[in-house]
Amino acid sequence: MVRCRARRVLPLMVLGLALFAGCVDGVYKPSNALQGVTTSANGFIGYTSVADKQTICASCHTDTQAQWEQTKHASAWADLANSGAVTEGCEACHTVNPRGNVTSDSVGGWTATQADRYHDVQCESCHGPGEDHVLDPSSTKPLASVAVGTNITTSCSGCHRGTHQPYVQEWAQSNHGRVFNTLATRSPCMNCHSGKGALAAFGVDSAYLEADSSELLPLVCVVCHSPHDATNEHQLRLSLSGTTLADNLCMKCHQRLATPDSTGSFGPHSPEGPVLLGLAGYRPAAFNASAKIVGAHGTPSDNPRLCGGCHVHTYQVTDTETGKFTLDATSHQFLALPCVDASGAPTTAATCADSLHSYASCVNSGCHSSQDSVRTLLTTTRADIQVMNDSLKALLVQVPQSAFNAYDHVTTTAEGARFNSQLADYPGSIAHNAFLIAELLRASIEQVKTDYGL
């Protein structure tokens, strides 16, 4: 971004006209918009009114300002001050400065001036210095970067990192933080396996720095979180409490192949949402629709945050000997039962012994009395369902191969039963809804015996 510092000496009348002419919706911007902005600020303007939290951007982007005012970013400085931990190291993430945006300057805004006008995480914190855009809106567009990573500081990951907010470190260990090239470039897979595809699927048409590049993005922060809109908790694009596949954030993607396809040749793919809500699986004639199909995990009255109730559980880790603070875990690995070390901190281990899995989310949510009790319950339930599934698999090997026809576009009892068996084996299905899985297996066993004389 080229800065025209000399233009700041324009007469106020001319400056006022330039600002008015460039406004996107015709809202008049006061001619003293840059009053008090020093050269050392390196193009950052900050608030035009500290008391009213009015950003210079609000002169034109009124709707965005109104939305932003409801976010935690708008109270970042006050929240830091009220925490009693105002240190120089904290201030950079609670003010407007080069951290979190793509400016090439190393200092600017708060870090250069310590002026109140740079309090809070304002528009320029993500979009970069706004002076040039104010002076010539048509030629400069300070776009925010949405790419995040443990080695990236020019976006959300510039601040949402470290021991108090290790979001990016945990996210990088999750599948959300990885790009699977084949899936990220294939339609319609890209809607859930590519950051750009997912943003488009959410209907996000806002411009961002990487939008027109060939760079493949994983499911970055802004796929799930709206930078401006605080309608939902944690600025999520959809609610965690939505009870339909269409209005629940996680189920926007985790619902793809939960019932047999028309050929009966594919197994389940990302069926978590329908399993949780009791909608997944093949229903043979023997299926008992009056059986208990939805458990507490999928009942909003018992688990109001549904997926988030187990998969996004924040907790503080302390040193087991001294009791001193170690880490604020954010659960952005999105694992309901993460592997943890001796102190309870999540590890990078892909797998671990069952005794090293944390069941803290089950207890702290208020659903279970102790980690040991839920560990025992899950182990017992898995064993019981495995017995049923083994019985079904033993029956299916006796079914004539003619019952498995991928080209007749009819789901036979055998194909549906095979799908239910695969659903029972799908990671997480038993924890998501053991009642549904058990009834699908029971009904499949009965129907296979009846239809094929076994």
Side-chain angles (χ1 to χ4, degrees):
M1 183 182 293
V2 179
R3 295 205 169 85
C4 304
R5 305 278 183 224
R7 296 182 66 176
R8 198 177 294 160
V9 302
L10 288 172
L12 292 181
M13 180 182 296
V14 176
L15 178 58
L17 291 173
L19 294 178
F20 179 81
C23 197
V24 296
D25 58 8
V27 177
Y28 174 70
K29 291 195 288 288
S31 59
N32 63 348
L34 301 181
Q35 183 177 340
V37 177
T38 64
T39 302
S40 64
N42 282 329
F44 288 99
I45 300 171
Y47 286 132
T48 57
S49 172
V50 176
D52 298 327
K53 290 185 180 288
Q54 288 297 301
T55 66
I56 179 59
C57 307
S59 302
C60 287
H61 302 284
T62 53
D63 290 344
T64 304
Q65 163 86 23
Q67 293 174 333
W68 167 84
E69 287 176 356
Q70 307 306 311
T71 70
K72 293 290 286 182
H73 283 169
S75 61
W77 181 261
D79 291 343
L80 176 62
N82 293 335
S83 73
V86 182
T87 66
E88 185 178 353
C90 300
E91 290 175 355
C93 284
H94 292 258
T95 58
V96 177
N97 62 81
R99 186 188 292 264
N101 54 77
V102 296
T103 179
S104 58
D105 293 312
S106 58
V107 295
W110 170 262
T111 56
T113 69
Q114 310 290 290
D116 289 355
R117 70 185 302 141
Y118 300 110
H119 283 175
D120 301 321
V121 180
Q122 304 175 36
C123 317
E124 293 172 290
S125 296
C126 300
H127 289 270
E131 180 182 328
D132 288 345
H133 183 61
V134 168
L135 292 172
D136 190 1
S138 62
S139 65
T140 61
K141 295 181 179 180
L143 299 179
S145 170
V146 301
V148 294
T150 55
N151 61 340
I152 295 176
T153 59
T154 54
S155 62
C156 309
S157 54
C159 280
H160 294 284
R161 64 195 305 132
T163 56
H164 286 283
Q165 289 203 343
Y167 290 100
V168 67
Q169 289 94 334
E170 294 182 4
W171 165 86
Q173 298 167 26
S174 75
N175 281 335
H176 286 183
R178 301 185 179 97
V179 174
F180 300 91
N181 287 16
T182 302
L183 298 175
T185 55
R186 179 192 302 163
S187 180
C189 306
M190 65 177 64
N191 289 351
C192 289
H193 289 275
S194 142
K196 294 178 184 178
L199 285 170
F202 269 111
V204 176
D205 57 5
S206 302
Y208 53 93
L209 195 63
E210 295 83 8
D212 295 326
S213 74
S214 58
E215 177 184 2
L216 291 177
L217 294 175
L219 300 181
V220 293
C221 309
V222 297
V223 168
C224 296
H225 298 273
S226 171
H228 306 125
D229 190 355
T231 300
N232 299 308
E233 63 172 328
H234 307 301
Q235 295 178 230
L236 295 170
R237 294 198 181 276
L238 288 174
S239 172
L240 290 175
S241 303
T243 55
T244 70
L245 299 178
D247 67 3
N248 183 284
L249 177 74
C250 305
M251 296 180 201
K252 183 79 172 177
C253 280
H254 291 279
Q255 53 132 318
R256 291 304 171 186
L257 190 53
T259 56
D261 72 304
S262 60
T263 67
S265 58
F266 294 101
H269 175 67
S270 197
E272 294 87 356
V275 170
L276 188 68
L277 298 179
L279 305 173
Y282 170 75
R283 266 55 168 180
F287 185 81
N288 182 4
S290 64
K292 186 174 182 180
I293 303 302
V294 182
H297 290 174
T299 308
S301 59
D302 295 316
N303 183 24
R305 296 174 69 239
L306 296 177
C307 311
C310 299
H311 287 271
V312 186
H313 160 62
T314 59
Y315 63 98
Q316 191 173 95
V317 179
T318 57
D319 185 274
T320 53
E321 294 185 3
T322 65
K324 291 184 177 180
F325 167 84
T326 302
L327 174 76
D328 279 324
T330 71
S331 287
H332 269 56
Q333 290 174 307
F334 307 106
L335 299 174
L337 307 174
C339 294
V340 296
D341 61 21
S343 70
T347 71
T348 59
T351 60
C352 60
D354 189 62
S355 60
L356 296 179
H357 282 286
S358 170
Y359 289 75
S361 64
C362 311
V363 176
N364 295 343
S365 64
C367 295
H368 297 273
S369 59
S370 70
Q371 292 199 46
D372 285 340
S373 67
V374 70
R375 182 181 286 110
T376 300
L377 176 61
L378 183 57
T379 300
T380 302
T381 304
R382 282 173 172 163
D384 291 343
I385 287 181
Q386 187 63 56
V387 170
M388 297 178 69
N389 201 5
D390 288 344
S391 296
L392 177 57
K393 291 176 181 178
L395 289 171
L396 288 175
V397 297
Q398 302 175 55
V399 173
Q401 282 302 303
S402 59
F404 301 95
N405 188 338
Y407 303 101
D408 61 2
H409 298 283
V410 174
T411 301
T412 64
T413 296
E415 290 169 336
R418 179 179 61 186
F419 184 92
N420 288 344
S421 174
Q422 293 168 331
L423 191 64
D425 284 335
Y426 199 90
S429 285
I430 295 174
H432 287 140
N433 196 337
F435 295 107
L436 173 66
I437 299 302
E439 176 56 23
L440 289 172
L441 293 176
R442 186 206 64 77
S444 296
I445 290 170
E446 181 178 333
Q447 200 67 50
V448 167
K449 287 180 177 179
T450 299
D451 289 1
Y452 302 103
L454 301 177

